[in-house]
């Protein structure tokens, strides 16, 4: 069982930056691939980024490539999402998720555990 708690969301102007954090409970954090997703009202949850257990591999949605960076610190049981050059269309609730497998995937149903989400609002 893994419990995930996101933090770091807030209101920022377009062009600004935010760093999201996701703290995981338990001693097996390093055995999970981690992902970030986002969701707006009335829309399906959307893949943002994923990182492998040892940080060797990462994967990004085309919409955030070059602007967002996913990273993790297994010693701190935490995964991060650095978001730069934010746009109003990045406004959403952001969720972190854990997947007990090696391959990095973008489908929400392939993830085993989810956090409660943190709101990110980008004003124009």
């Amino acid at each position: 069982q893994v419990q995930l708690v996101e933090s770091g969301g807030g209101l920022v102007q377009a062009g600004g930056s935010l760093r999201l954090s996701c703290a995981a409970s338990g001693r097996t954090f390093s055995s999970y691939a981690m992902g970030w997703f986002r969701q707006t009202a009335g829309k399906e949850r959307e893949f943002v980024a994923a990182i492998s257990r040892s940080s060797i591999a990462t994967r990004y949605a085309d919409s955030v490539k070059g602007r967002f960076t996913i990273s993790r610190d297994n010693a701190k049981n935490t995964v991060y999402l650095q978001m730069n050059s934010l746009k109003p269309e990045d406004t959403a609730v952001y969720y972190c998720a854990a997947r007990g497998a090696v391959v990095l995937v973008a489908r929400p149903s392939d993830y085993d555990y989810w956090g409660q989400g943190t709101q990110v609002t980008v004003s124009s």
Side-chain angles (χ1 to χ4, degrees):
Q1 188 80 8
V2 176
Q3 292 186 326
L4 304 172
V5 179
E6 302 95 336
S7 62
L11 174 64
V12 63
Q13 289 188 333
S17 298
L18 280 176
R19 188 175 83 154
L20 305 184
S21 299
C22 173
S25 65
R27 300 181 180 179
T28 59
F29 175 72
S30 60
S31 65
Y32 290 89
M34 300 297 296
W36 284 97
F37 291 77
R38 64 188 182 187
Q39 189 170 24
T40 55
K43 293 188 177 181
E44 293 185 353
R45 197 162 292 190
E46 175 190 24
F47 172 75
V48 175
I51 189 167
S52 63
R53 295 178 291 187
S54 59
S55 302
I56 290 177
T58 57
R59 178 176 175 178
Y60 295 93
D62 289 342
S63 59
V64 307
K65 277 182 184 176
R67 300 188 298 123
F68 291 11
T69 303
I70 188 171
S71 61
R72 67 189 294 164
D73 185 337
N74 287 345
K76 295 182 178 180
N77 282 10
T78 302
V79 62
Y80 305 98
L81 185 68
Q82 178 66 43
M83 305 186 295
N84 298 330
S85 302
L86 282 161
K87 304 174 182 180
E89 51 263 45
D90 294 319
T91 295
V93 177
Y94 282 72
Y95 299 88
C96 71
R99 168 175 161 83
V102 174
V103 177
L104 301 184
V105 295
R107 189 166 57 186
S109 60
D110 288 327
Y111 285 77
D112 304 304
Y113 302 101
W114 291 85
Q116 84 290 346
T118 185
Q119 176 71 47
V120 171
T121 303
V122 184
S123 63
S124 57

